Amino acid sequence: MFDCILIANRGEIACRIIRTARRLGIRTLAVYSDADAGSLHVSLADEAFRIGPPPAGESYLRPERILEAAAMGGAEAIHPGYGFLSENADFAEACREAGLVFIGPPPGAIRAMGAKSEAKAIMEAAGVPVVPGYHGAAQDDESLIGAARGIGFPVLIKAVAGGGGKGMRIANAEAELPEALAAARREARAAFADDALLIERYLDRPRHVEVQVFADAHGNAVHLFERDCSLQRRHQKVLEEAPAPGLGAGLRRRLGDAAVAAAQAIAYQGAGTVEFLLAEAQGGEQSFSFMEMNTRLQVEHPVTEMITGLDLVEWQLRVASGEPLPLSQDDIAANGHAFEVRIYAENPAKDFLPATGRLSHLRFPAEGVHVRVDTGVRQGDAIGIDYDPLIAKLVVWDEDRGAALRRLRRALASVQIAGPATNVAFLAAISGHPAFAAGEVDTGFIPRHRHDLIASPGPVPPRLLAFACLDVLLRREDEARAAARRSDDPYSPWHRTDGWRLNEDNHHVLAFRDGEAAVAATVHYRRDGLLLELPGAGAPVRARGERDACGDLVADIDGVHCKATVVRTGDAITVISAGASHELAIDDPTARAELREPQASTLRAPMPGRLVAAHVAPGDRVSRGTTLVVLEAMKMEHAITAPADGVVAAVPFAVGDQVEDGADLVVFADEDPADQAS
C-alpha cells in the first residue's frame, strides 16, 4: 500500500478520497488553483500545492504542474478523481514515466474506451449491441450532417472524449445541426481539450442504467451491480439509485455479464462504469445497448457503496498498489436500496442556469447508517464561475426502495442553504412525485413532468412571513436591550420595542420586499404574545417565539409548535422551515423608488462568464426567443435569447471577453428604424 498519494482534483471528490486515505494511514497531497486557495480539500490534505490561476486549462488541466507538485511532496501515486485528467491516457502515461502509479486503468484501456468510436467498435466485435450511430474520423460539418441524415432524426451529438453531459446536444431536424455542432465542439474543447464528435440515434424514453465494474492486474474482474441514472437535466445526472428499479433477474444478470466482458476485452484494471441504454422492445421486453464506458470512478459511486457496504476508493488504492480484488463475484452481495441526489447551485426555473454566490448558511442532515453527505464546501464558501456548481451529494439507504425514498424526502427537508439559488426544492419535488415513487423512470422524466417539478414562484406563505416578523422583532429587542445597557438612562421609553402609541393600540408595521412586490405585516402586541395581520392569512395570526441554543426560531403560530432557521445577510432574509424556503428583504424606500424608474432596453448577463458566440450585430432585427449570444460558465454553455421582438443597437462585448453578472450583453434600439421610416 502507498505511503503518500497526490489527488489531482478538487472539491467534493478530493475530500472523499482524503477521507479513505486518512483511514488507511496514507498521507495526502492536494493541488489547488487560486480560486480554491481557501477550499475544504486544501485544508483537509496534509499538504497542498498551488498549480495556477482559476481557469481549469491553466491549473487542473496542466499535467506538468501536477507532476511537479507530486515530486515536491514525495507522492508515490496520483489519484485523478473524476473529470479533469481522470480519463486522459497521456496523463496516465506521463505519471508512469515520472515513476508514479496512476490510480486508474492502463493508458491503453483509457484510449480504447475514452474514444467512444473505438469503444463502439470493440463492443460490436464482442457481440454487445450498440446504439446505431456515426463514430468515424471525418469531423467536418458536411460529413457529420450526412451521417445524421443517414441515421435519421432526432440525433444525439456527443463529444468523443466527453462525459458529464458536456459537449452534448440533441438535433431534432437537419436545420438545427450547424448550430448544435458548433456549440458541442466549443463545449468539448473547453472541457476536454478535444472537440471530436460522434452522432447517435436519439432513443425515445430510454433508461440510462450503468454497471460498476472492478478488475485487477491478476486477471480478476467483477461487477458490483447496477445503478439507474435516468433522471437527468441538460444531459447531466441529478438523481441516481441502486439497484435499478423494475429489472428482472435475467436482465440484471445479462447486464452484469456484459459489463464484465467489456472490462476483460480491454484488459481493464481498477474502477470503471459500463453504461447502457435500456429500451422497450416489441412484446414489452427490455433490450439494452452499450453506450460508453467511463474509465474512472463515477460521481454516483456512493449508492453502490451503500448497498454493498464496500469502500470503492479503498478498492482503487489496493488494486493500484498491486493487490488482488478483495472479493470474488460470489462474495459480493447487494443489500437494500440507496438514492443519491446532487445538490447544485442553480435555478431550475431558469432552465437550470448555474448560480453563484456565497453560502451564507449551510446545514445538512445528521449523518449515520441511513444518511451520508459528500461535500467539498463549508458555510461561508463561495460558489464561483470557474467550476461545476455542485454543493453536495446527499445519499440515503434503507431496506427497500420505499423506505429509502421516505429517507430521501426527510433528508431533503433537513437541508438548509442560504445564498445562491439551489435545486433542493426541485429534488424534493422529484422524490415526492407519484410516478417516481412507482419507478416510472426514463431519461425524459424531468422534461415530461417539468410543470409538477418546477413550481412557479408564489408569494411568501403566511407562516414563513410570520417567522420573518418574529425574527425582526427579536432582533430589535436584542438591539434595544444592548442600547439600554450602554445608555445613561436604561429606563428611557426610547428603548421600548412594544410598538407603544399614545391613545392608540400598540403596533408595528413591518415592510418587506418579496421579489418586486411590497409586503406589509402589522404586528399588534398582546399580553400573551403577538397578533399578526398577514397578507393571505385571512384572520389575524397569533404568534410568539424565541431562539433556541442553535439560534433557530422556535415558535407557536396559531397553536402549532414549529421551528425555522432565519438567515440575515444585510437586508436580505431567508426563512427555512420544514423543507420550505423563501427569500425576502427588509423594505428600503430608496430601492423601491429605483424599481419604479424606467429600465434600460438591454439584455443583461444572468451570471458571470465568458462570451463564446455572438449571433447578432447592430442593426439586426430579432424575434422573441432568438439566440443572441452564448455565455460559457461553469464548463457549460448557456444560450441567451431575445426576450421580445426588436432591433439590436449594440453588442458591447466581443467573443472571448469575460463579463460580470448583470453586464449589458445586448442593447436594443428604443424604436424600430423601419417604424421610423414609415
Side-chain angles (χ1 to χ4, degrees):
M1 182 56 73
F2 309 111
D3 289 322
C4 179
I5 65 170
L6 180 139
I7 302 161
N9 219 294
R10 63 175 300 280
E12 168 267 323
I13 184 55
C15 297
R16 159 75 189 92
I17 296 166
I18 289 170
R19 285 198 301 272
T20 290
R22 180 178 292 168
R23 180 173 59 80
L24 297 174
I26 300 171
R27 186 167 170 267
T28 56
L29 309 178
V31 292
Y32 66 92
S33 71
D34 292 339
D36 282 334
S39 66
L40 181 59
H41 81 275
V42 170
S43 65
L44 289 178
D46 293 293
E47 267 189 286
F49 298 85
R50 178 189 178 275
I51 53 173
E58 300 176 41
S59 51
Y60 294 105
L61 289 173
R62 290 187 62 183
E64 71 279 6
R65 298 303 303 271
I66 291 169
L67 294 174
E68 288 171 6
M72 292 172 61
E76 302 163 85
I78 291 183
H79 196 307
Y82 36 69
F84 293 141
L85 297 170
S86 62
E87 294 181 283
N88 188 307
D90 292 339
F91 178 62
E93 284 183 342
C95 288
R96 297 185 183 187
E97 290 171 2
L100 296 162
V101 175
F102 179 76
I103 303 174
I110 297 175
R111 288 196 174 95
M113 291 292 105
K116 292 183 176 63
S117 53
E118 185 176 344
K120 302 277 186 178
I122 292 171
M123 291 301 104
E124 285 180 316
V128 178
V130 301
V131 180
Y134 172 79
H135 317 116
Q139 289 290 308
D140 59 284
D141 275 14
E142 185 177 353
S143 297
L144 293 173
I145 292 172
R149 196 180 297 129
I151 294 167
F153 292 92
V155 296
L156 182 64
I157 303 162
K158 299 170 69 174
V160 168
K166 298 173 180 65
M168 188 179 293
R169 292 292 186 277
I170 296 172
N172 292 295
E174 185 171 332
E176 299 175 12
L177 274 173
E179 184 176 341
L181 291 170
R185 284 194 185 101
R186 285 194 303 268
E187 210 164 81
R189 192 183 306 119
F192 314 112
D194 184 346
D195 62 2
L197 303 175
L198 61 83
I199 298 179
E200 295 176 344
R201 178 181 297 164
Y202 183 72
L203 301 177
D204 183 40
R205 297 186 69 164
R207 289 177 62 183
H208 183 156
V209 175
E210 61 189 27
V211 179
Q212 177 72 61
V213 294
F214 244 100
D216 61 24
H218 305 279
N220 303 307
V222 298
H223 70 80
L224 289 83
F225 309 104
E226 81 287 345
R227 304 182 286 254
D228 192 297
C229 307
S230 298
L231 268 67
Q232 303 175 10
R233 52 85 179 111
R234 296 176 64 92
H235 310 298
Q236 289 182 307
K237 305 164 188 173
V238 292
L239 183 150
E240 301 93 0
E241 60 180 303
L247 297 192
L251 178 59
R252 177 167 283 123
R253 183 174 58 254
R254 293 197 303 275
L255 282 168
D257 291 345
V260 171
Q264 291 173 326
I266 57 172
Y268 198 77
Q269 294 176 31
T273 306
V274 186
E275 306 201 359
F276 299 96
L277 288 177
L278 270 62
E280 291 288 336
Q282 289 185 351
E285 294 184 0
Q286 288 182 313
S287 63
F288 65 87
S289 301
F290 172 83
M291 184 169 59
E292 63 185 8
M293 182 175 184
N294 291 303
T295 54
R296 54 174 168 79
L297 199 64
Q298 290 279 86
V299 178
E300 57 272 19
H301 76 272
V303 291
T304 295
E305 294 183 323
M306 295 291 265
I307 66 167
T308 61
L310 303 173
D311 185 331
L312 300 194
V313 172
E314 179 179 348
W315 275 42
Q316 285 187 296
L317 295 170
R318 293 194 181 282
V319 167
S321 64
E323 296 181 23
L325 291 176
L327 297 173
S328 67
Q329 188 69 68
D330 291 341
D331 295 325
I332 302 170
N335 177 36
H337 202 96
F339 290 99
E340 173 184 297
V341 292
R342 305 186 192 186
I343 299 173
Y344 283 103
E346 64 182 17
N347 191 335
K350 294 184 177 180
D351 196 25
F352 301 96
L353 189 71
T356 59
R358 191 162 300 281
L359 296 164
S360 54
H361 177 79
L362 185 63
R363 186 185 298 174
F364 298 117
E367 294 189 70
V369 173
H370 296 282
V371 178
R372 166 176 167 177
V373 178
D374 285 9
T375 185
V377 296
R378 299 157 296 191
Q379 183 169 300
D381 287 350
I383 304 295
I385 66 170
D386 299 292
Y387 313 114
D388 191 86
L390 180 71
I391 295 174
K393 300 185 313 194
L394 176 63
V395 194
V396 299
W397 174 91
D398 215 312
E399 296 290 344
D400 56 48
R401 189 175 189 268
L405 191 53
R406 289 193 295 273
R407 293 276 181 192
L408 178 60
R409 295 177 191 134
R410 176 94 177 167
L412 281 167
S414 299
V415 173
Q416 297 185 356
I417 302 174
T422 76
N423 65 341
V424 173
F426 167 72
L427 296 172
I430 292 175
S431 70
H433 198 282
F436 183 71
E440 299 170 5
V441 295
D442 60 68
T443 57
F445 182 93
I446 290 174
R448 187 164 59 252
H449 298 291
R450 181 182 180 90
H451 293 299
D452 298 331
L453 304 177
I454 303 174
S456 300
V460 57
R463 180 176 292 185
L464 297 190
L465 181 57
F467 276 119
C469 293
L470 289 172
D471 178 78
V472 169
L473 296 172
L474 288 173
R475 286 174 184 270
R476 288 183 179 178
E477 288 179 8
D478 291 342
E479 292 166 0
R481 280 194 291 267
R485 286 194 296 269
R486 296 190 301 268
S487 172
D488 292 334
D489 181 8
Y491 303 105
S492 168
W494 299 112
H495 299 315
R496 295 180 63 170
T497 60
D498 59 359
W500 180 82
R501 299 277 196 286
L502 181 63
N503 298 325
E504 195 177 343
D505 178 49
N506 290 7
H507 72 278
H508 276 306
V509 176
L510 303 181
F512 301 93
R513 302 295 304 178
D514 186 6
E516 295 186 3
V519 177
T522 302
V523 182
H524 299 274
Y525 290 82
R526 299 291 182 262
R527 291 182 180 277
D528 57 348
L530 305 171
L531 195 64
L532 307 179
E533 294 180 22
L534 305 174
V541 173
R542 291 192 174 277
R544 61 177 183 272
E546 60 184 6
R547 299 195 191 280
D548 65 12
C550 297
D552 290 337
L553 260 175
V554 179
D556 184 298
I557 299 177
D558 266 351
V560 178
H561 184 79
C562 46
K563 187 175 181 179
T565 298
V566 182
V567 182
R568 288 281 296 270
T569 307
D571 287 338
I573 301 177
T574 302
V575 184
I576 308 168
S577 178
S581 177
H582 203 95
E583 293 185 7
L584 297 165
I586 301 294
D587 195 13
D588 180 347
T590 303
R592 186 168 68 250
E594 290 175 354
L595 285 171
R596 289 197 297 264
E597 292 178 2
Q599 298 297 307
S601 183
T602 60
L603 183 63
R604 292 176 176 167
M607 63 188 305
R610 184 172 66 91
L611 194 69
V612 296
H615 298 303
V616 292
D620 287 352
R621 188 191 307 276
V622 298
S623 301
R624 180 178 180 176
T626 303
T627 298
L628 306 181
V629 296
V630 179
L631 200 63
E632 179 189 81
M634 299 178 183
K635 302 189 288 185
M636 295 290 286
E637 290 193 355
H638 310 279
I640 311 300
T641 60
D645 297 351
V647 174
V648 175
V651 182
F653 293 96
V655 171
D657 286 352
Q658 288 290 135
V659 300
E660 296 298 322
D661 183 15
D664 292 342
L665 296 177
V666 178
V667 179
F668 296 101
D670 290 334
E671 192 172 24
D672 190 327
D675 292 340
Q676 286 184 326
S678 61

